[in-house]
Coordinates of all heavy atoms in Angstrom, one line a residue:
M1 N 92.0 198.1 84.5 CA 91.6 196.7 84.9 C 92.4 195.7 84.1 O 92.6 195.9 82.9 CB 90.1 196.5 84.6 CG 89.5 195.4 85.3 SD 89.8 193.8 84.5 CE 89.2 194.1 82.9
K2 N 93.0 194.8 84.7 CA 93.8 193.8 84.1 C 93.4 192.4 84.5 O 93.4 192.1 85.7 CB 95.3 194.1 84.4 CG 96.2 192.9 84.1 CD 96.9 193.1 82.7 CE 98.0 192.1 82.5 NZ 97.5 190.7 82.3
I3 N 93.0 191.5 83.6 CA 92.8 190.2 84.0 C 94.1 189.4 83.8 O 94.7 189.4 82.7 CB 91.7 189.6 83.1 CG1 90.4 190.3 83.3 CG2 91.5 188.1 83.4 CD1 89.7 190.1 84.6
D4 N 94.5 188.7 84.8 CA 95.8 188.0 84.7 C 95.7 186.8 83.8 O 94.6 186.2 83.6 CB 96.2 187.5 86.1 CG 96.6 188.6 87.0 OD1 97.1 189.6 86.5 OD2 96.3 188.6 88.2
D5 N 96.8 186.5 83.1 CA 96.8 185.4 82.2 C 96.5 184.1 82.8 O 95.7 183.3 82.2 CB 98.2 185.3 81.5 CG 98.4 186.5 80.5 OD1 97.4 187.1 80.1 OD2 99.6 186.7 80.2
W6 N 97.0 183.9 84.0 CA 96.7 182.6 84.7 C 95.2 182.5 85.0 O 94.7 181.4 84.9 CB 97.5 182.5 85.9 CG 97.1 183.4 87.1 CD1 97.7 184.6 87.3 CD2 96.1 183.2 88.0 NE1 97.1 185.2 88.4 CE2 96.1 184.4 88.8 CE3 95.2 182.2 88.3 CZ2 95.2 184.6 89.9 CZ3 94.2 182.4 89.3 CH2 94.3 183.6 90.1
L7 N 94.6 183.6 85.3 CA 93.1 183.6 85.5 C 92.4 183.2 84.3 O 91.4 182.4 84.3 CB 92.7 184.9 86.1 CG 91.2 185.0 86.6 CD1 90.9 183.9 87.6 CD2 91.0 186.4 87.2
L8 N 92.8 183.9 83.2 CA 92.1 183.6 81.9 C 92.2 182.1 81.5 O 91.3 181.6 81.0 CB 92.7 184.4 80.8 CG 92.2 185.8 80.5 CD1 92.9 186.5 79.4 CD2 90.7 185.8 80.2
E9 N 93.3 181.5 81.9 CA 93.5 180.1 81.5 C 92.6 179.2 82.2 O 92.2 178.1 81.7 CB 95.0 179.7 81.7 CG 95.9 180.2 80.7 CD 97.4 179.9 81.0 OE1 97.6 179.0 81.8 OE2 98.2 180.5 80.4
I10 N 92.1 179.6 83.4 CA 91.2 178.7 84.1 C 89.8 179.0 83.9 O 88.9 178.3 84.3 CB 91.6 178.6 85.6 CG1 91.4 180.0 86.3 CG2 93.0 178.1 85.9 CD1 91.5 180.0 87.8
L11 N 89.5 180.2 83.3 CA 88.1 180.6 83.1 C 87.6 180.0 81.8 O 88.3 179.9 80.8 CB 88.0 182.1 83.1 CG 88.3 182.8 84.4 CD1 88.2 184.3 84.2 CD2 87.4 182.4 85.5
A12 N 86.4 179.7 81.8 CA 85.7 179.2 80.5 C 84.3 179.7 80.5 O 83.7 180.0 81.5 CB 85.7 177.7 80.5
C13 N 83.8 179.9 79.3 CA 82.5 180.4 79.1 C 81.5 179.4 79.7 O 81.6 178.2 79.4 CB 82.2 180.5 77.6 SG 80.5 180.9 77.2
P14 N 80.6 179.8 80.6 CA 79.7 178.9 81.2 C 78.6 178.3 80.3 O 78.0 177.3 80.5 CB 79.0 179.7 82.3 CG 79.2 181.1 81.9 CD 80.5 181.2 81.1
A15 N 78.5 179.0 79.1 CA 77.5 178.5 78.2 C 78.0 177.4 77.3 O 77.3 176.4 77.0 CB 77.0 179.7 77.3
C16 N 79.3 177.5 76.8 CA 79.8 176.6 75.8 C 81.1 176.0 76.2 O 81.7 175.2 75.5 CB 79.9 177.3 74.5 SG 81.2 178.5 74.4
K17 N 81.7 176.5 77.4 CA 83.0 175.9 77.9 C 84.2 176.3 77.0 O 85.3 175.7 77.2 CB 82.9 174.4 78.0 CG 81.7 173.9 78.8 CD 81.6 174.5 80.2 CE 80.4 173.9 80.9 NZ 80.0 174.8 82.0
S18 N 84.0 177.2 76.1 CA 85.2 177.7 75.3 C 86.0 178.7 76.2 O 85.5 179.3 77.1 CB 84.7 178.4 74.1 OG 84.1 177.5 73.2
P19 N 87.3 178.8 75.8 CA 88.1 179.8 76.5 C 87.6 181.2 76.3 O 86.9 181.5 75.4 CB 89.5 179.7 75.9 CG 89.5 178.4 75.1 CD 88.0 178.1 74.8
L20 N 88.0 182.1 77.3 CA 87.6 183.5 77.2 C 88.8 184.3 76.9 O 90.0 183.9 77.2 CB 87.0 183.9 78.5 CG 85.7 183.2 79.0 CD1 85.4 183.5 80.4 CD2 84.6 183.5 78.0
R21 N 88.6 185.5 76.3 CA 89.8 186.4 76.2 C 89.3 187.8 76.7 O 88.2 188.2 76.6 CB 90.2 186.5 74.7 CG 89.2 186.9 73.7 CD 89.7 186.9 72.3 NE 88.7 186.7 71.3 CZ 87.9 187.7 70.9 NH1 88.0 188.9 71.3 NH2 86.9 187.4 70.0
A22 N 90.3 188.5 77.3 CA 90.0 189.8 77.8 C 89.9 190.8 76.6 O 90.7 190.8 75.7 CB 91.2 190.3 78.7
E23 N 88.9 191.6 76.7 CA 88.6 192.5 75.6 C 87.9 193.8 76.1 O 86.8 193.7 76.6 CB 87.7 191.8 74.6 CG 87.5 192.5 73.2 CD 86.7 191.6 72.3 OE1 85.5 191.7 72.3 OE2 87.3 190.9 71.5
A24 N 88.6 194.9 76.1 CA 88.0 196.2 76.5 C 87.4 196.1 77.9 O 86.3 196.6 78.1 CB 87.1 196.7 75.5
G25 N 88.0 195.5 78.8 CA 87.5 195.5 80.2 C 86.4 194.4 80.4 O 85.7 194.4 81.4
E26 N 86.2 193.6 79.4 CA 85.2 192.6 79.5 C 85.8 191.2 79.1 O 87.0 191.2 78.7 CB 84.0 192.8 78.5 CG 83.3 194.1 78.8 CD 82.1 194.4 77.8 OE1 82.4 194.4 76.6 OE2 81.0 194.6 78.3
L27 N 85.1 190.2 79.3 CA 85.6 188.9 78.9 C 84.7 188.3 77.8 O 83.5 188.1 78.0 CB 85.6 187.9 80.1 CG 86.7 188.2 81.1 CD1 86.5 187.2 82.3 CD2 88.1 188.1 80.6
A28 N 85.4 188.1 76.6 CA 84.6 187.7 75.5 C 84.9 186.2 75.2 O 86.0 185.7 75.3 CB 85.0 188.4 74.2
C29 N 83.8 185.5 74.9 CA 83.9 184.0 74.6 C 84.6 183.9 73.2 O 84.4 184.7 72.3 CB 82.5 183.4 74.5 SG 82.5 181.7 74.1
T30 N 85.5 183.0 73.1 CA 86.3 182.8 71.9 C 85.5 182.0 70.8 O 86.0 181.9 69.7 CB 87.6 182.2 72.1 OG1 87.4 180.9 72.8 CG2 88.5 183.1 73.0
S31 N 84.4 181.5 71.2 CA 83.6 180.7 70.2 C 82.7 181.7 69.4 O 81.9 182.4 70.0 CB 82.7 179.7 71.0 OG 81.7 179.2 70.1
E32 N 82.9 181.6 68.1 CA 82.1 182.6 67.3 C 80.6 182.2 67.3 O 79.8 183.1 67.1 CB 82.6 182.6 65.8 CG 84.0 183.3 65.7 CD 84.4 183.4 64.3 OE1 83.6 183.1 63.4 OE2 85.6 183.6 64.1
S33 N 80.3 180.9 67.4 CA 78.9 180.6 67.4 C 78.2 180.9 68.7 O 77.0 181.0 68.8 CB 78.8 179.1 67.2 OG 79.5 178.3 68.2
C34 N 79.0 181.2 69.8 CA 78.5 181.5 71.1 C 78.4 183.1 71.2 O 77.3 183.7 71.3 CB 79.3 181.0 72.2 SG 78.9 181.5 73.8
G35 N 79.6 183.7 71.2 CA 79.7 185.1 71.1 C 79.2 185.9 72.3 O 78.9 187.1 72.2
L36 N 79.1 185.3 73.4 CA 78.7 186.0 74.6 C 79.9 186.8 75.2 O 81.0 186.4 75.1 CB 78.2 185.1 75.7 CG 76.8 184.4 75.4 CD1 76.5 183.4 76.4 CD2 75.7 185.4 75.2
V37 N 79.6 188.0 75.8 CA 80.6 188.8 76.4 C 80.2 189.1 77.9 O 79.1 189.5 78.1 CB 80.7 190.2 75.7 CG1 81.8 191.1 76.3 CG2 81.1 190.0 74.2
Y38 N 81.1 188.7 78.8 CA 80.8 188.8 80.2 C 81.4 190.1 80.8 O 82.5 190.4 80.5 CB 81.3 187.6 80.9 CG 80.7 186.3 80.4 CD1 81.3 185.6 79.3 CD2 79.5 185.8 80.9 CE1 80.6 184.5 78.8 CE2 78.9 184.7 80.4 CZ 79.5 184.0 79.3 OH 78.9 182.9 78.8
P39 N 80.7 190.7 81.7 CA 81.2 191.9 82.3 C 82.2 191.6 83.4 O 82.2 190.4 83.9 CB 79.9 192.5 83.0 CG 79.0 191.4 83.2 CD 79.3 190.4 82.1
V40 N 83.0 192.5 83.7 CA 83.9 192.4 84.9 C 83.6 193.6 85.8 O 83.7 194.7 85.4 CB 85.4 192.5 84.4 CG1 86.3 192.5 85.6 CG2 85.7 191.4 83.4
R41 N 83.3 193.2 87.1 CA 82.9 194.3 88.0 C 83.8 194.2 89.2 O 84.0 193.2 89.8 CB 81.4 194.0 88.5 CG 80.4 194.2 87.3 CD 79.0 194.2 87.8 NE 78.1 194.2 86.7 CZ 77.1 193.3 86.5 NH1 76.9 192.3 87.3 NH2 76.4 193.3 85.4
D42 N 84.4 195.4 89.5 CA 85.4 195.4 90.6 C 86.5 194.3 90.5 O 86.8 193.7 91.4 CB 84.7 195.3 92.0 CG 83.7 196.4 92.2 OD1 84.0 197.5 91.7 OD2 82.7 196.2 92.8
D43 N 86.9 194.2 89.2 CA 88.0 193.2 88.9 C 87.5 191.7 89.1 O 88.3 190.8 89.0 CB 89.2 193.4 89.7 CG 90.0 194.6 89.3 OD1 89.6 195.2 88.2 OD2 90.9 195.1 90.1
I44 N 86.2 191.5 89.3 CA 85.7 190.2 89.4 C 84.9 189.8 88.1 O 83.9 190.5 87.8 CB 84.7 190.0 90.6 CG1 85.4 190.6 91.9 CG2 84.3 188.6 90.8 CD1 86.5 189.8 92.5
P45 N 85.4 188.8 87.4 CA 84.6 188.4 86.2 C 83.2 187.8 86.6 O 83.1 187.0 87.5 CB 85.4 187.3 85.6 CG 86.8 187.5 86.1 CD 86.6 188.0 87.5
V46 N 82.2 188.3 86.0 CA 80.8 187.8 86.3 C 80.5 186.8 85.2 O 80.0 187.2 84.1 CB 79.8 189.0 86.3 CG1 78.4 188.5 86.6 CG2 80.3 190.1 87.3
L47 N 80.7 185.6 85.4 CA 80.5 184.5 84.4 C 79.1 183.9 84.6 O 79.0 182.8 84.9 CB 81.6 183.5 84.5 CG 83.0 184.0 84.2 CD1 84.0 182.9 84.3 CD2 83.1 184.7 82.9
L48 N 78.1 184.7 84.3 CA 76.8 184.3 84.4 C 76.1 184.6 83.0 O 76.2 185.7 82.5 CB 76.0 185.0 85.5 CG 76.5 184.9 86.9 CD1 75.8 185.8 87.9 CD2 76.3 183.4 87.4
V49 N 75.5 183.6 82.5 CA 74.8 183.7 81.2 C 73.8 184.8 81.2 O 73.6 185.6 80.3 CB 74.2 182.4 80.7 CG1 73.4 182.6 79.4 CG2 75.3 181.4 80.5
D50 N 73.1 184.9 82.4 CA 72.1 186.0 82.5 C 72.6 187.4 82.5 O 71.9 188.3 82.2 CB 71.3 185.8 83.8 CG 70.3 184.6 83.8 OD1 70.1 184.1 82.7 OD2 69.8 184.2 84.8
E51 N 73.9 187.5 82.9 CA 74.6 188.8 82.9 C 75.3 189.1 81.6 O 75.8 190.3 81.4 CB 75.6 188.9 84.1 CG 74.9 188.7 85.4 CD 74.2 190.0 85.9 OE1 74.7 191.1 85.6 OE2 73.2 189.8 86.6
A52 N 75.5 188.2 80.8 CA 76.3 188.4 79.5 C 75.4 189.1 78.5 O 74.2 189.1 78.5 CB 76.7 187.0 79.0
R53 N 76.2 189.7 77.5 CA 75.5 190.2 76.4 C 76.0 189.6 75.1 O 77.1 189.0 75.1 CB 75.7 191.7 76.3 CG 77.2 192.1 76.1 CD 77.3 193.7 76.0 NE 78.7 194.1 75.9 CZ 79.4 194.0 74.8 NH1 78.9 193.6 73.7 NH2 80.7 194.4 74.8
K54 N 75.3 189.7 74.1 CA 75.7 189.1 72.8 C 76.7 190.1 72.1 O 76.4 191.3 72.1 CB 74.5 188.9 71.9 CG 73.8 187.6 72.1 CD 74.6 186.5 71.5 CE 73.9 185.1 71.6 NZ 74.7 184.0 71.1
A55 N 77.8 189.6 71.6 CA 78.8 190.5 71.0 C 78.2 191.1 69.7 O 77.4 190.4 69.1 CB 80.1 189.8 70.8
Ligands
ZN1 ZN1 80.7 180.7 74.9

């Protein structure tokens, strides 16, 4: 699974609006105070706070 760079640039954490980075097939919020990690299912990032886990 590969998240394209252009896609990462337009995605933001829905909780805090910080940029996201691809990490082990998931998308991690770059804000340390937020720390949410979003799943990617079938190459589709699931940017829902309810679906996220705490890193
Ligand atoms: Zn965040």
